[in-house]
Amino acid sequence: MALLSTTDFPLCINKTDNFSHGRIDLHSHTQCSDGGLSPQTLIDRAVNYQIAVLAITDHDTVAGFDIAQEYILEKNIPIKLISGIEISTAWQGFEIHIVGLNIDVKHDAIVKLIAEQQQAREDRAITIGEKLAKCGFPDAYNDAKHLAGDGSITRAHFAKVLYQQGHVSTMQKAFDQYLGKKGRNIQRAYVKPNWCSIEQAVEAIHAAGGTAVMAHPIRYDLSAKWLRRLIVHFQENNGDALEVVLPQMNPQQRQTMLNYCLEYDLHASLGSDFHHPNKWSDLGRNLTLPEGAKPIWALWS
Ligand code: AMP
Ligand code: MN
Ligand code: MN
Ligand code: MN
């Protein structure tokens, strides 16, 4: 558990805040993208899990921030909400997620990037729908769109549709059989997305006053050589931090990520990547920055 003290987290030092103890979780999702809970229900859950500092980082949208912040103020909930976003980017044929934290959600640069990313999501969703129609699922686009509502449409919505309609036995199988791409192995309804570059994501985050974090570096299925290339590219383009800790990471993986931070002078972030309640992970669980890491919040004082 990441225990907070006012010296650890300078943002907390003001008379109205009382965050002397609690957990920090800087990566989570709501129904504004592919999370299962509304922003309000996520905040309620965060309170129950003793979260003191929470970032909502939905895919290519900041819609959850105002809703959650309003709820926090209305109910006087003792949580410091950090504005956030998880931006999908394209790099060398890989999809790399860049988390932006502590951004001005109304800044022109971020608003413009979100509009472009939403267009890319919509275009991709239409083509995924066409491919799935050819696989025998003619309503997949409409059903996924309905599930996504006003939020960002993601492949997770398509996966859920295929699962709920009994075409696959798990969401993972929807990715394995239709939506996914693993190395050169492209499934039948995989569509190459038109995401922005890492440089563009970092630039927009910085323009909006925020901090740029490479999300879950261990999840890209990269060899050590390619992961290092990615980290070098991120650092050379002014990236600020690596997500060094996710609940599922073992001590050795955490140490490896910390070593990259130290080698490339990057700060360290941590988060659960919570989407919906499940038995493997939850808000704030199993998150502690390893000793020697420079915490990302040191950049926020
Ligand atoms: P998208 O950003 O639209 O490509 O959607 C990807 C989202 O689907 C991720 O953020 C995950 O939450 C979810 N997901 C679940 N299983 C997988 C998988 N096997 N591969 C990729 N994404 C997955
Ligand atoms: Mn997701
Ligand atoms: Mn991600
Ligand atoms: Mn995420």
Side-chain angles (χ1 to χ4, degrees):
M1 180 167 88
L3 269 181
L4 264 185
S5 74
T6 45
T7 49
D8 281 332
F9 200 83
L11 270 188
C12 296
I13 309 172
N14 81 45
K15 285 202 180 82
T16 54
D17 293 345
N18 179 22
F19 304 120
S20 55
H21 293 286
R23 298 170 175 184
I24 306 173
D25 192 331
L26 300 176
H27 189 152
S28 71
H29 294 271
T30 75
Q31 286 167 351
C32 294
S33 66
D34 58 353
L37 307 181
S38 67
Q40 294 93 331
T41 316
L42 183 79
I43 296 300
D44 286 342
R45 191 175 188 86
V47 172
N48 287 338
Y49 281 75
Q50 293 98 45
I51 309 293
V53 182
L54 178 74
I56 295 179
T57 53
D58 275 311
H59 299 289
D60 298 308
T61 179
V62 291
F65 179 72
D66 283 350
I67 301 169
Q69 189 59 29
E70 208 170 291
Y71 183 67
I72 286 168
L73 292 175
E74 185 191 309
K75 303 266 176 188
N76 201 16
I77 295 170
I79 279 188
K80 174 83 192 168
L81 186 67
I82 304 291
S83 56
I85 188 168
E86 183 171 14
I87 302 173
S88 291
T89 72
W91 177 76
Q92 303 279 335
F94 301 103
E95 292 186 39
I96 306 300
H97 291 178
I98 304 295
V99 162
L101 295 174
N102 228 349
I103 50 175
D104 169 4
V105 295
K106 308 266 189 305
H107 192 283
D108 284 351
I110 213 79
V111 171
K112 181 168 172 283
L113 186 70
I114 288 173
E116 289 163 2
Q117 294 281 106
Q118 288 298 327
Q119 189 60 52
R121 284 194 171 274
E122 181 59 21
D123 294 347
R124 184 188 62 158
I126 290 169
T127 316
I128 291 175
E130 287 166 2
K131 292 200 171 201
L132 286 174
K134 286 190 186 140
C135 296
F137 315 124
D139 299 324
Y141 170 78
N142 285 337
D143 294 344
K145 194 77 190 159
H146 180 75
L147 258 189
D150 293 339
S152 286
I153 187 160
T154 72
R155 284 183 294 164
H157 294 101
F158 283 96
K160 198 164 180 189
V161 164
L162 294 176
Y163 169 67
Q164 284 180 342
Q165 297 180 358
H167 305 306
V168 288
S169 56
T170 62
M171 298 249 303
Q172 184 56 46
K173 286 204 170 139
F175 280 93
D176 294 345
Q177 292 173 20
Y178 297 102
L179 301 162
K181 175 190 172 211
K182 205 160 194 196
R184 293 216 179 91
N185 190 11
I186 290 176
Q187 300 309 322
R188 283 184 283 171
Y190 178 78
V191 178
K192 190 170 169 276
N194 194 20
W195 304 139
C196 66
S197 65
I198 290 178
E199 302 90 292
Q200 287 171 314
V202 173
E203 218 178 281
I205 290 164
H206 284 170
T211 312
V213 184
M214 186 194 293
H216 43 65
I218 55 154
R219 278 212 213 127
Y220 301 119
D221 253 334
L222 298 173
S223 65
K225 185 170 112 186
W226 275 95
L227 181 57
R228 184 176 287 279
R229 276 188 193 166
L230 171 62
I231 292 168
V232 167
H233 179 78
F234 177 70
Q235 195 254 11
E236 285 176 354
N237 285 281
N238 305 315
D240 300 297
L242 301 182
E243 219 168 54
V244 163
V245 181
L246 288 134
Q248 302 85 350
M249 286 169 73
N250 65 37
Q252 198 199 330
Q253 289 172 317
R254 295 172 191 218
Q255 185 61 44
T256 304
M257 289 308 135
L258 172 64
N259 290 345
Y260 282 123
C261 285
L262 299 176
E263 189 174 347
Y264 294 103
D265 195 26
L266 292 161
H267 285 68
S269 188
L270 76 181
S272 62
D273 200 6
F274 176 84
H275 281 73
H276 33 71
N278 67 55
K279 39 178 194 269
W280 300 284
S281 79
D282 217 310
L283 285 170
R285 197 192 290 172
N286 199 13
L287 298 176
T288 317
L289 276 191
E291 203 143 317
K294 285 189 294 182
I296 188 166
W297 48 90
L299 295 167
W300 300 340
S301 46

